[in-house]
């Protein structure tokens, strides 16, 4: 959903959500690896970023289908 060449506008601002989502994923992944004794907390840290990324991607795809590039 976050393809860099989609649309007519060429802007560096398109990389900001990608970098933020990737950072969120890496930070929570490393935090979850650091607390293996707390399984419930580690599971939340592993799966919540995936849900956020999927929801953000669905929203982005819906906006692209309606013709909104920004």
């Amino acid at each position: 959903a976050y393809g860099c060449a989609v649309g007519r506008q060429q802007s560096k601002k398109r990389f900001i959500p990608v970098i933020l989502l990737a950072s969120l994923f890496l930070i929570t992944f490393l935090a979850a690896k650091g607390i293996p004794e707390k399984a419930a907390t580690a599971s939340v840290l592993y799966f919540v970023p995936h849900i956020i990324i999927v929801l953000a991607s669905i929203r982005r795809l819906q906006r692209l289908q309606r013709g909104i590039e920004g």
Side-chain angles (χ1 to χ4, degrees):
Y2 286 96
C4 298
V6 175
R8 294 184 294 252
Q9 298 176 7
Q10 298 298 322
S11 173
K12 302 272 188 230
K13 290 190 304 186
R14 293 183 179 206
F15 292 109
I16 293 172
V18 175
I19 291 169
L20 291 175
L21 289 171
S23 298
L24 172 72
F25 176 78
L26 288 173
I27 290 168
T28 56
F29 177 77
L30 293 174
K33 276 187 80 86
I35 52 170
E37 63 276 354
K38 296 183 179 178
T41 306
S43 296
V44 168
L45 287 174
Y46 277 127
F47 293 114
V48 168
H50 288 92
I51 295 168
I52 293 171
I53 291 169
V54 168
L55 292 175
S57 296
I58 289 171
R59 182 175 181 270
R60 174 79 172 147
L61 287 173
Q62 288 175 343
R63 288 175 54 94
L64 285 173
Q65 287 177 344
R66 286 187 263 143
I68 303 171
E69 291 184 28

